[in-house]
Amino acid sequence: MKKKAIVFGLLCIVIITSVLLFLYYNRSEIVKKIIPSAYTSNVAADSCNCEASWFPHEQTPPPAEGDGSPFDASSTTNCIFHQWSWQKFLWLTKPMPSGNPLFLDSLNLVSEQMEDVAPQLGIKLALTSFNQAGRLGVLISNAKYNNVVDTVYYSIHVNNLLKDKAVLMAKLINSGKLPVANLETFPVGAFELKVSWINLDAIPKQQQSDYFTTIAAVQNKKGQYVKKTMALLGMHVVGVVKNHPEFIWATFEHKDMAPLYDKKNNSVTAANEMLFYEKGTTSGVDGITWPRKASSPVLPNKAFILYEYGVPKNLNTDAFTKTSQAEPANFNNIDNINKCVASKLKDVFRNYFYNGSVWLNFDGVSPENQAKAIVTRDISSALPDSLARGSVNLANITMETYTQTFKDNIHDIDNTNLVSCFDCHQSANFDSQRPGKSPLFLSHIFGDYLMFTKPKTNLTAAKNANNANAKRVEEIEAQKVKQFEEFYKANQ
């Protein structure tokens, strides 16, 4: 009897041990079946990927942005902002039956003052703007790249939600029914795009098929429009989602237009000619510095990318700078989602990459306090206790070429003077005659439009309306440059 009991006990031990070993080695599969949502959440927390529903590109849906979206929560993740950015770009560039991407067919093409841009030469895309923000620098191509020197042009596109709100707010302010200083915000879904273009002839023939191209009417130095094939270089995608009236500021670029500054070796090098960089090695920021009232950068044809994905690194160490955004998690999320999209995208837009985005941390903050924070906090600060999140030194090589830093010496750049969209896109307007702060002024289009449409009683008499409008535009540009100089001095 004792022998049977011993055998039975040993058998029980073997069975129990086997079960435990099975559970141990198959625990992940069991967890996946019992609580699949938790398992998926853990996987998602380890990487930031694109979604299968975004592809094929012809069927990319718009991202969820309002009630019930990932932003409709008291706690958000870094990844959802990167996913919104890529999905929004894919939706805006999805091919339409006309052959054009959605943004060319469906959005309002406007000037910086939000005036409708009329078609020229029977072509909808009419390009006249070539000055960058800041000190009005002009980006030109490297002649040695394809034996052609050409200028980068810009177009601005807005949807009706942004335009209608801007028109209404300007009307109320100009009539005195709403003060310049207010807490009004743009509605969820409002967005604007800024797109950079260059004449296709500036790009070598063997590489031209790698760019999205379209026909545009381009204004020359004589004020005449000329029909040209233009290549898309970059795009700012700027939109409002729930709990983020400050907009998400995302940027995209074509690959290999300029080299990346090597922080570890304190230099920038290109072995071959590039669109905006002559081959060779340089050091310092002269290639991305446009002096006050200058007609060219300190060092022409040497434009480079200061920080990959807009994520700052320390000089000579290659370590990430300590800022308000945790790294390398944010950097890795951008890199992961870029690789994910590249592996699935089949058309010409596979040659463009997401260079990052910037937004504010408004987790658990009420809409009223979000608006108040925009007008009272230093939203441009990247210090550890500040609101900025994402790529805290964000820039597009074709649009902020000469405002990637406000420092004249690369050794002086640190986490106290990093530069992003929020350095210039602030709540303070640039009309010195009617100063005020509002979340609306984060959009320079609104600031321009408000100043352009204000009563002209104080404007110097002009011979006709066209001259008066031209004078108002000159006044606006002067005020914007003045405000930029103030930002520049504050960061020196």
Side-chain angles (χ1 to χ4, degrees):
M1 194 72 182
K2 286 185 178 180
K3 187 175 181 181
K4 288 183 178 180
I6 293 171
V7 171
F8 180 79
L10 290 172
L11 182 62
C12 290
I13 291 172
V14 170
I15 293 172
I16 292 170
T17 301
S18 298
V19 170
L20 289 174
L21 288 171
F22 174 84
L23 291 173
Y24 177 81
Y25 286 110
N26 294 275
R27 63 195 185 281
S28 62
E29 291 300 316
I30 293 171
V31 170
K32 190 189 300 184
K33 291 177 181 178
I34 297 174
I35 43 175
S37 61
Y39 184 87
T40 303
S41 176
N42 289 336
V43 171
D46 294 332
S47 61
C48 188
N49 292 313
C50 54
E51 300 288 344
S53 62
W54 302 354
F55 308 98
H57 193 189
E58 304 83 43
Q59 299 175 17
T60 306
E65 299 172 333
D67 294 344
S69 73
F71 306 99
D72 184 16
S74 59
S75 178
T76 58
T77 66
N78 174 274
C79 182
I80 65 172
F81 294 88
H82 302 313
Q83 289 177 321
W84 176 89
S85 300
W86 249 123
Q87 187 177 358
K88 194 78 168 183
F89 175 81
L90 291 173
W91 176 67
L92 289 164
T93 57
K94 66 188 290 185
M96 305 303 288
S98 65
N100 288 331
L102 183 147
F103 80 92
L104 283 179
D105 275 2
S106 304
L107 301 183
N108 303 292
L109 178 63
V110 297
S111 69
E112 291 182 4
Q113 291 75 44
M114 213 176 72
E115 289 186 296
D116 290 328
V117 174
Q120 301 292 332
L121 307 177
I123 303 170
K124 183 177 180 180
L125 182 61
L127 301 174
T128 62
S129 176
F130 52 80
N131 287 116
Q132 293 196 357
R135 289 171 170 167
L136 306 180
V138 178
L139 181 60
I140 63 171
S141 63
N142 167 25
K144 295 180 181 179
Y145 186 57
N146 196 40
N147 299 316
V148 173
V149 175
D150 224 309
T151 303
V152 175
Y153 279 77
Y154 306 99
S155 61
I156 297 174
H157 312 257
V158 301
N159 71 341
N160 287 332
L161 273 176
L162 186 137
K163 188 176 183 181
D164 292 346
K165 178 74 173 188
V167 170
L168 175 60
M169 293 298 97
K171 182 178 180 180
L172 293 176
I173 292 172
N174 286 329
S175 66
K177 295 179 180 179
L178 179 71
V180 175
N182 61 76
L183 294 179
E184 289 284 342
T185 62
F186 286 101
V188 169
F191 68 89
E192 57 186 69
L193 311 178
K194 187 172 184 179
V195 186
S196 55
W197 309 86
I198 199 167
N199 185 351
L200 187 61
D201 292 341
I203 299 167
K205 287 187 177 181
Q206 63 271 25
Q207 297 177 22
Q208 290 179 358
S209 62
D210 292 338
Y211 288 77
F212 169 78
T213 61
T214 191
I215 302 298
V218 184
Q219 191 176 52
N220 61 22
K221 293 180 179 179
K222 296 180 181 179
Q224 302 167 330
Y225 284 93
V226 180
K227 182 179 178 181
K228 291 185 178 182
T229 300
M230 304 296 283
L232 190 154
L233 301 180
M235 183 186 292
H236 281 326
V237 180
V238 183
V240 177
V241 300
K242 187 163 187 178
N243 291 317
H244 291 277
E246 79 283 9
F247 296 88
I248 300 173
W249 300 76
T251 194
F252 294 79
E253 301 174 16
H254 197 277
K255 299 175 181 178
D256 301 325
M257 295 187 295
L260 175 68
Y261 201 95
D262 183 351
K263 294 296 180 302
K264 190 172 183 179
N265 295 309
N266 190 21
S267 63
V268 56
T269 301
N272 302 304
E273 301 294 343
M274 303 181 78
L275 185 57
F276 299 117
Y277 190 93
E278 290 181 358
K279 69 178 181 180
T281 299
T282 60
S283 183
V285 296
D286 286 352
I288 56 171
T289 300
W290 192 282
R292 190 171 184 269
K293 296 184 178 180
S295 58
S296 67
V298 175
L299 190 61
N301 298 317
K302 288 292 186 180
F304 60 84
I305 300 164
L306 184 59
Y307 294 115
E308 185 175 14
Y309 300 152
V311 179
K313 288 188 174 182
N314 299 327
L315 202 62
N316 301 125
T317 67
D318 205 31
F320 290 106
T321 303
K322 187 177 181 181
T323 68
S324 58
Q325 177 63 62
E327 300 298 352
N330 172 66
F331 182 96
N332 290 341
N333 279 347
I334 298 171
D335 198 51
N336 287 340
I337 198 169
N338 276 338
K339 290 174 180 176
C340 183
V341 173
S343 70
K344 299 180 183 300
L345 201 57
K346 305 300 181 183
D347 60 20
V348 70
F349 288 101
R350 71 186 183 278
N351 298 308
Y352 296 80
F353 72 98
Y354 168 53
N355 200 35
S357 59
V358 64
W359 64 92
L360 300 180
N361 177 21
F362 280 149
D363 281 3
V365 180
S366 69
E368 181 182 7
N369 286 333
Q370 292 164 12
K372 287 180 179 179
I374 290 171
V375 300
T376 59
R377 296 283 299 272
D378 180 5
I379 63 174
S380 66
S381 173
L383 292 173
D385 61 346
S386 60
L387 294 173
R389 294 292 184 271
S391 302
V392 294
N393 204 109
L394 187 64
N396 186 299
I397 188 59
T398 67
M399 301 188 210
E400 289 85 29
T401 318
Y402 308 111
T403 53
Q404 296 183 66
T405 181
F406 293 158
K407 290 296 181 181
D408 297 326
N409 190 319
I410 200 162
H411 295 277
D412 294 335
I413 303 174
D414 57 35
N415 65 354
T416 67
N417 51 49
L418 297 171
V419 177
S420 74
C421 306
F422 290 132
D423 277 82
C424 291
H425 291 270
Q426 301 243 344
S427 62
N429 69 344
F430 35 75
D431 186 349
S432 59
Q433 297 176 357
R434 295 192 303 178
K437 289 187 175 185
S438 168
L440 297 170
F441 292 125
L442 268 67
S443 169
H444 283 181
I445 296 173
F446 175 73
D448 274 38
Y449 179 73
L450 178 64
M451 193 169 175
F452 186 75
T453 57
K454 74 177 181 179
K456 295 181 172 65
T457 53
N458 296 325
L459 189 65
T460 303
K463 294 180 179 179
N464 55 56
N466 287 335
N467 286 343
N469 288 341
K471 189 170 183 64
R472 177 58 56 80
V473 171
E474 289 179 8
E475 180 186 353
I476 293 170
E477 290 301 329
Q479 291 289 342
K480 288 165 72 176
V481 171
K482 180 181 177 183
Q483 188 183 67
F484 172 79
E485 291 295 343
E486 292 172 355
F487 291 151
Y488 186 90
K489 289 177 182 177
N491 283 276
Q492 278 293 292

